[in-house]
Amino acid sequence: MKIKIENLTKTFKGSKVLDNISISFDSGKIYGLSGRNGSGKTMLMRAICGLIRPTDGFVEFDGKRLWRDISFPPNIGVLIENPSFISRYSGFKNLKILASIQNKISDEQIRTAIQKVGLDPFDKKPYRKYSLGMKQRLGIACAIMEDPDIVLLDEPTNALDENGVKLIKEILMSMRENRIIIISCHDKEDLEFLSDEIIMISNGKLKN
Amino acid sequence: MQSNFKAYLGVDLKKGFVSNIYKYVVALFLFLFLSFELFFSQSQENESLIFTTTDLWFYIFQGMPVYEPSNELPFIIPLQWMIIQILPALLVLNYPTKDLYSYGIQEIVRLRKRCNWWISKCIWLVLSIAAYYAIAFLCVNLVSLFFGEYSFSFNHEYFELFYSPNSDFEKTSFVMYILPLSTTITISFFQMLFSIIIKPIYSFFIVVCYDIISAFYCFPLLIGDKTMLLRLSLFESGKVDFEITIIINFILFIFTYFIGSLYFSKMDFIKKG
């Protein structure tokens, strides 16, 4: 799998939130997007997911171009901004509902993903009673449960303690083979700990 | 892909209905209240009057006659009709946008087709409004069954006393059940589209204003007043032709659906500030 981004520009209300970005991502690596709040990290992730339409340029997945050949990337797992689930359902039920859309993993695989992030897959507690850290972990479980080729995690360490960050590192390291993993984080230390290659973004532009 | 959409649709409908459950309870009490109100207010004046199911339905959705602007007769917003129209607008208010910018993102990425999300919301909308009218229908059925006459014909005595029906109105009572439903669905479609393009609260106020203007002016594209049964051409004062209105509703419905599909296929999924 290869992601190719070429001259990607996105303009909102006259201002460029992504400015002529060209970059490639290859399988087997964890890429870390670094930058201040509002620098364009989340917007770049949204563009890769197909959630925003580029004003100029394109995003390609193994030669298939978003917005022309495909509407969304094939086989992607995402956590963008804060995780959001149905508040009255348990973590497992929430993930089961989402998994039913593609219907390609079993209940056991969903439970394994929940267990991986350090949650109890048999916990009946509704999502609204989860702590912030638990919500974040469930969001990560949701992104990885279907064994995607591309994993995009926006601020995955939010609300996680030191052990939580270590656990995420272990999960990402165990998954990196044959996958593209892109994470964003405003905490430089966490990002350096989690990623193989750091990409700096400032004012919507890539910094060398 | 079809089976995936079916699974998604089931989840979406359930989420949508559950999120509106309290509004349906309010609708149930409203329609029960209005049905009983007719009984108690009219039976005090004329004990011999027995109301049928269709009489009750007519009373609830009657609205007001066509307004002719004049100095002597000021325009008064028909409050009962307005409340009945505001409730569907509240049903449509924020579920689609709330879903779109939260859980919906995970669903859309898995659906892999933007149009599937839109189609699912359109189906949810039609069924939500149908459920609202089904609650009204259930109320008039129950109240007429226990307190009046369970019948889908009119009580001539009551109608001729208060309204001026044309001779053929009896044959077309089904119109009274279909027209408000189809019109509300069409207006709700505009509302859902606007709520995605602008903001749910603005789209809500646009629809409320549109309804008020429709009550004041009679114009084919101002379809809000097509939910007022007193404006049907079945009555002497009425100007609303059933067949033409159904055709206009259908055209607007299809038009809004395609505009929505087009817009949704190109829109950026970023929460409006």
Side-chain angles (χ1 to χ4, degrees), chain A residues 168-184:
Chain A
I168 299 306
K169 168 88 174 171
E170 279 169 29
I171 294 168
L172 297 182
M173 292 301 274
S174 70
M175 288 182 73
R176 72 207 282 212
E177 205 178 328
N178 299 321
R179 282 192 188 83
I180 297 174
I181 301 174
I182 305 172
I183 56 173
S184 82

Side-chain angles (χ1 to χ4, degrees), chain A:
Chain A
M1 173 62 72
K2 186 184 174 95
I3 304 175
K4 185 182 173 194
I5 298 176
E6 196 75 41
N7 302 326
L8 184 70
T9 300
K10 180 68 188 175
T11 308
F12 274 120
K13 294 173 187 168
S15 67
K16 281 183 180 173
V17 289
L18 294 176
D19 191 356
N20 205 28
I21 288 183
S22 296
I23 190 170
S24 293
F25 299 98
D26 294 299
S27 293
K29 262 189 178 177
I30 302 171
Y31 296 89
L33 297 180
S34 172
R36 288 182 184 170
N37 289 339
S39 57
K41 304 186 297 287
T42 305
M43 207 52 82
L44 179 60
M45 286 200 162
R46 283 179 186 276
I48 294 170
C49 288
L51 297 176
I52 58 166
R53 189 182 172 88
T55 310
D56 205 1
F58 61 83
V59 181
E60 268 183 6
F61 298 84
D62 284 341
K64 285 184 181 166
R65 195 173 289 189
L66 268 186
W67 294 94
R68 190 190 68 185
D69 308 321
I70 47 175
S71 301
F72 291 99
N75 207 11
I76 189 168
V78 295
L79 167 68
I80 294 237
E81 287 174 347
N82 300 321
S84 186
F85 294 97
I86 302 171
S87 59
R88 63 184 180 281
Y89 290 158
S90 68
F92 172 75
K93 193 159 183 194
N94 265 296
L95 298 200
K96 190 174 161 64
I97 288 170
L98 285 172
S100 72
I101 296 174
Q102 295 193 325
N103 201 24
K104 61 180 189 186
I105 56 168
S106 65
D107 287 2
E108 207 39 54
Q109 284 168 293
I110 298 169
R111 287 197 181 98
T112 306
I114 295 174
Q115 210 155 22
K116 251 188 193 175
V117 296
L119 295 175
D120 176 7
F122 296 98
D123 190 354
K124 295 269 186 272
K125 194 163 46 177
Y127 177 71
R128 66 170 171 270
K129 291 193 174 166
Y130 276 29
S131 67
L132 283 177
M134 289 169 81
K135 286 178 179 176
Q136 190 70 1
R137 285 168 191 247
L138 190 68
I140 294 166
C142 176
I144 62 170
M145 69 175 173
E146 283 155 322
D147 207 14
D149 296 330
I150 305 158
V151 181
L152 294 189
L153 302 175
D154 186 18
E155 306 280 2
T157 56
N158 270 1
L160 292 185
D161 54 19
E162 208 175 304
N163 288 336
V165 177
K166 275 184 190 161
L167 183 69
I168 299 306
K169 168 88 174 171
E170 279 169 29
I171 294 168
L172 297 182
M173 292 301 274
S174 70
M175 288 182 73
R176 72 207 282 212
E177 205 178 328
N178 299 321
R179 282 192 188 83
I180 297 174
I181 301 174
I182 305 172
I183 56 173
S184 82
C185 192
H186 58 267
D187 188 316
K188 224 172 172 182
E189 239 173 70
D190 280 351
L191 199 66
E192 278 169 4
F193 176 69
L194 290 170
S195 31
D196 301 317
E197 191 176 322
I198 297 205
I199 297 153
M200 295 287 291
I201 302 186
S202 175
N203 296 325
K205 288 180 183 174
L206 290 187
K207 266 170 88 176
N208 294 324

Side-chain angles (χ1 to χ4, degrees), chain B residues 27-29 31-32 35 56 134-144:
Chain B
L28 179 74
F29 282 108
F31 291 127
L32 282 175
S35 305
L56 286 176
I135 289 171
F137 189 68
L138 177 78
C139 291
V140 295
N141 274 273
L142 285 175
V143 174
S144 63

